[in-house]
Amino acid sequence: GLNHGAGVGEAGSKIPAKDYKLEKFCMEPTSFTVKEESAFKAGESEFTKTKLMTRLTYTLDGMTGSFKVGSDGSVAVQERDGLDYAAVTVQLPGGERVPFLFTLKEFAGKGNTSQFGGDFTVPSYRGSSFLDPKGRGGSTGYDNAVALPAKSDADELLKENNKNVAALKGSAVFNVAKYDAVTGEIAGVFESIQPSDTDLGSKAPKDVKITGLWYAQLQ
């Protein structure tokens, strides 16, 4: 056929087998939806459209890692470093705000040159060095708010005082739409599902689905 779109390969099937460095790995969300329990008893819970409350800080950028392509076309991807988390808040139609830490930390993906997926770590939205307004933190600050020494073991305070900075898990799937063998540029679309912020363990997390575009350079 004609030399149509020679610059960019149609899909990732032309990626030669090699252990590549994954560089300039970027994820740009185009939509955030949140799973809401159905108002009807028998109804399915479904992902609801949201309004973004955060300004322009929600792209993951400059991530690095490894991208190994086997001779059989298998792919193993490991994320290691970079701006791999961003605090985002979205609002549900009813007005409820859902904060979450959009991330791909420690992503380990497997698949082939057209699609790969796997799990990643979702650190606590606030991190263990965060101090809440009363000065109670996960690894710094006082154990209890100073004003309540005697009642600090009461059950209702326990959940709030016992800061839970345990990491949760998310999972993501990446489709490869194009690969340029000359520049090493690779790009496509992704879908990621991860938990929202638990407010350091005192709230149940909601499922947040993020879809968008991703690109990177294989070197």
Side-chain angles (χ1 to χ4, degrees):
L2 293 167
N3 193 4
H4 176 65
V8 177
E10 288 312 296
S13 54
K14 311 278 191 301
I15 306 176
K18 189 183 156 182
D19 286 5
Y20 296 94
K21 268 196 209 142
L22 183 66
E23 302 277 349
K24 299 179 186 167
F25 182 16
C26 174
M27 288 168 72
E28 216 170 87
T30 52
S31 127
F32 300 103
T33 54
V34 173
K35 194 172 209 173
E36 286 226 273
E37 297 305 315
S38 170
F40 307 102
K41 273 210 173 103
E44 288 288 298
S45 41
E46 50 183 43
F47 282 93
T48 307
K49 283 191 169 145
T50 64
K51 194 164 113 196
L52 186 66
M53 306 307 286
T54 320
R55 285 211 199 102
L56 302 173
T57 52
Y58 50 82
T59 299
L60 304 185
D61 204 0
M63 295 185 287
T64 59
S66 58
F67 193 102
K68 296 178 178 174
V69 181
S71 51
D72 57 354
S74 66
V75 164
V77 183
Q78 179 68 54
E79 189 274 341
R80 290 214 162 74
D81 210 355
L83 295 175
D84 54 10
Y85 61 92
V88 179
T89 299
V90 294
Q91 186 172 302
L92 291 166
E96 184 187 352
R97 292 192 172 195
V98 180
F100 63 97
L101 196 69
F102 173 40
T103 186
L104 196 73
K105 239 179 190 351
E106 298 161 5
F107 172 77
K110 294 225 179 315
N112 55 41
T113 51
S114 56
Q115 182 174 300
F116 55 89
D119 291 349
F120 55 88
T121 300
V122 182
S124 164
Y125 180 79
R126 300 186 169 175
S128 66
S129 59
F130 175 86
L131 286 173
D132 78 10
K134 291 205 181 88
R136 294 166 296 195
S139 60
T140 53
Y142 301 101
D143 278 349
N144 326 96
V146 181
L148 2 130
K151 287 165 72 180
S152 59
D153 285 335
D155 283 353
E156 67 269 20
L157 285 171
L158 200 60
K159 217 170 187 183
E160 217 187 305
N161 267 346
N162 188 7
K163 296 305 184 196
N164 180 356
V165 291
L168 300 166
K169 287 279 179 206
S171 62
V173 174
F174 294 82
N175 277 66
V176 179
K178 56 189 187 184
Y179 169 70
D180 184 331
V182 179
T183 63
E185 285 171 332
I186 185 170
V189 293
F190 73 87
E191 178 174 298
S192 175
I193 294 184
Q194 62 164 83
S196 66
D197 177 35
T198 64
D199 199 9
L200 296 171
S202 59
K203 279 202 205 96
K206 296 180 187 295
D207 280 345
V208 180
K209 185 195 285 182
I210 302 120
T211 54
L213 309 172
W214 70 278
Y215 46 91
Q217 204 162 11
L218 302 183
Q219 289 183 335

